[in-house]
Amino acid sequence: MPDRETVLAALGAVIDPKSGQGLVAAGLVQGLVVADDRAGFALEVSSSDAALYAPVRDAAEAALKALPGMTRVAVVLTAETVAAAPRRASLSPQAVDQGRPKAPVATARPAHVRRVLAVASGKGGVGKSTVAVNLAAALSARGLSVGLLDADVYGPSLPTMLGMSGKPEYRDAMMEPHVVHGLKAMSVGLLTRADDAMIWRGPMASQALTQMLIQTRWGTEAQPLDILVVDLPPGTGDVQLTLVQKTPLDGAVIVSTPQEVALADARRAHTLFQKVGTPTLGLIENMSGPIFGRGGAEAEARRLGVPYLGDLPLDAALREGGDAGVPVVVSDPGGDIAGRFAGFAARLTEALGL
C-alpha cells in the first residue's frame, strides 16, 4: 500500500495555480490521513478562490487514485471566508444584544428531509453516540425513514457502532449514504481508520460537516427522509454553530449521566439551543444506577422546564452492541433497553409531528 511519503510526492506534483508550486510546498495539504488503501486531506482556500481550486481538487483526487493499491480517496475543498471585523459604529441596534451579535439564522434544510433532530450532551463520555444510534434505530422501527449523521468530525464513532466501512459513492455530484440496519448513515470516519486523528482547524471541520449535511442524498422527492438524527460532538463550539447556521433544527435531545459535573454541561447545551430557538424535546439519563447514581437528569429537566424522556441503566448490552456494530435495539428488539428506546421514539415522534 502507498505510504505517506508516496502520497506527499503525488500531491507535490499537482500544481497550485496561484503560487506555481506543488500543493505540498504551497501549504495547501491540510489534515492529511493515509490509512491502508485510503487517503484524504482538506484543501483549504479562501472563499473567493473556491471555483478556481475545484479543478485542483479533482486533479489531486486523480493523482491519489493513480497510486497502486489506492482505492479510497477523498479531498475536501474548504472555503474559508476571512472578513474584517466590523467597526462598532456600523453595527445596527438589531444586530447587537448587550454588545454581542444575535444568534445565527439557519439557511436551508437539507433537500428532501422533513425533520432534523440533534442529539447533544455538552460533556463527552456520557454515551451520547450510543443513544443517538439506538434512538435512530428505534425511530426506524416505527416505520419512519431515518438518516443518521455523525457530526463529531474529530471523534467519529458511527462506523464502529454501525459496522460500516468504505468511502461513500458519488452520483450526480451528491454523496450516497451507507444504508445499514435500515438507516441512511454518513460519517467522516468512513475516510479514516479508528485510530487516525483528524487534525483540522475549526473552519475545516465546519466545512466537512456542511458537505456531509448538504451534499448527501438523504432522500428524494418521491421518497423523502422523515427524520435526520444528528449526533453532535460534545460542547458548544464550531460544529454546533455550523449546524444551526446551515439548517433549521426541529428539536434537540440532551444526554447526561446523573452526576452534577455532567448535568452542568447539559445545562450549557440547553442554553445554546435556547439561544438559537431550538426546542429541547427532552433529557435522557444514561448510565443510571448504583455506580453513577440516578435521578439527576430528571431533577434537572424539572429545573429547566423541559420533558424528561427517561433513563437507561448501565447495561453491558449497550456497550457490546456498539462494539459489534449492531445496536441493541436491532439485536434484541424485545428486550428492556429496546423497550425504553421505543418509548423515547414514541414521544419524540409525537413532539415532531411525524
Side-chain angles (χ1 to χ4, degrees), residues 33 178 218 253 268:
V33 174
H178 283 48
W218 296 110
V253 171
R268 297 184 182 97

Side-chain angles (χ1 to χ4, degrees), residues 145-184:
S145 173
V146 181
L148 186 55
L149 172 60
D150 189 352
D152 193 348
V153 296
Y154 296 113
S157 55
L158 256 60
T160 298
M161 289 189 166
L162 291 176
M164 59 182 186
S165 62
K167 181 186 173 185
E169 298 293 330
Y170 282 79
R171 183 163 59 89
D172 299 329
M174 296 288 286
M175 292 186 290
E176 298 290 341
H178 283 48
V179 180
V180 58
H181 305 308
L183 306 173
K184 294 183 176 181

Side-chain angles (χ1 to χ4, degrees), residues 9-349:
L11 294 175
V14 179
I15 302 302
D16 169 24
K18 297 193 74 172
S19 69
Q21 298 177 303
L23 294 184
V24 177
L28 294 175
V29 177
Q30 302 289 328
L32 177 64
V33 174
V34 180
D36 296 333
D37 62 341
R38 63 188 74 178
F41 70 96
L43 179 64
E44 184 180 5
V45 300
S46 67
S47 59
S48 60
D49 289 333
L52 174 65
Y53 279 89
V56 179
R57 174 196 57 203
D58 295 341
E61 285 193 344
L64 294 179
K65 288 178 180 177
L67 295 175
M70 187 67 70
T71 62
R72 303 170 188 173
V73 171
V75 178
V76 179
L77 178 60
T78 70
E80 180 179 2
T81 301
V82 180
R87 292 177 297 178
R88 188 175 186 84
S90 69
L91 294 176
S92 66
Q94 292 78 19
V96 176
D97 178 16
Q98 296 180 349
R100 293 175 295 181
K102 285 190 174 181
V105 178
T107 52
R109 188 182 300 277
H112 311 302
V113 174
R114 296 177 61 197
R115 300 285 188 272
V116 180
L117 175 70
V119 179
S121 66
K123 180 176 177 55
V126 300
K128 169 189 52 60
S129 294
T130 299
V131 170
V133 168
N134 282 277
L135 181 58
L139 289 165
S140 178
R142 294 181 62 82
L144 299 174
S145 173
V146 181
L148 186 55
L149 172 60
D150 189 352
D152 193 348
V153 296
Y154 296 113
S157 55
L158 256 60
T160 298
M161 289 189 166
L162 291 176
M164 59 182 186
S165 62
K167 181 186 173 185
E169 298 293 330
Y170 282 79
R171 183 163 59 89
D172 299 329
M174 296 288 286
M175 292 186 290
E176 298 290 341
H178 283 48
V179 180
V180 58
H181 305 308
L183 306 173
K184 294 183 176 181
M186 179 61 66
S187 170
V188 73
L190 297 173
L191 172 65
T192 64
R193 296 183 305 189
D195 55 351
D196 283 327
M198 302 305 291
I199 309 173
W200 288 359
R201 293 192 288 122
M204 298 163 66
S206 297
Q207 183 69 16
L209 170 62
T210 300
Q211 289 189 286
M212 290 190 297
L213 180 70
I214 303 299
Q215 296 179 9
T216 298
R217 198 186 313 277
W218 296 110
T220 64
E221 186 173 356
Q223 294 181 314
L225 192 75
D226 289 317
I227 181 168
L228 176 63
V229 177
V230 183
D231 179 21
L232 287 173
T236 54
D238 286 334
V239 172
Q240 286 84 351
L241 291 175
T242 296
L243 181 66
V244 299
Q245 284 177 323
K246 295 300 180 183
T247 185
L249 295 178
D250 297 285
V253 171
I254 299 176
V255 182
S256 179
T257 52
Q259 310 106 298
E260 174 57 31
V261 66
L263 292 169
D265 288 336
R267 286 183 212 115
R268 297 184 182 97
H270 173 65
T271 299
L272 167 67
F273 292 124
Q274 276 188 314
K275 287 182 179 296
V276 299
T278 297
T280 298
L281 300 181
L283 262 64
I284 293 176
E285 181 172 286
N286 194 26
M287 306 183 196
S288 182
I291 296 177
F292 296 110
R294 56 167 51 91
E298 184 175 13
E300 188 62 36
R302 287 196 299 268
R303 282 193 290 270
L304 297 177
V306 301
Y308 176 62
L309 296 181
D311 67 338
L312 294 165
L314 190 62
D315 192 290
L318 275 171
R319 190 268 304 167
E320 292 167 355
D323 290 347
V326 183
V328 68
V329 167
V330 175
S331 63
D332 186 19
D336 173 63
I337 298 298
R340 293 175 189 242
F341 275 107
F344 303 160
R347 295 184 63 180
L348 291 170
T349 300

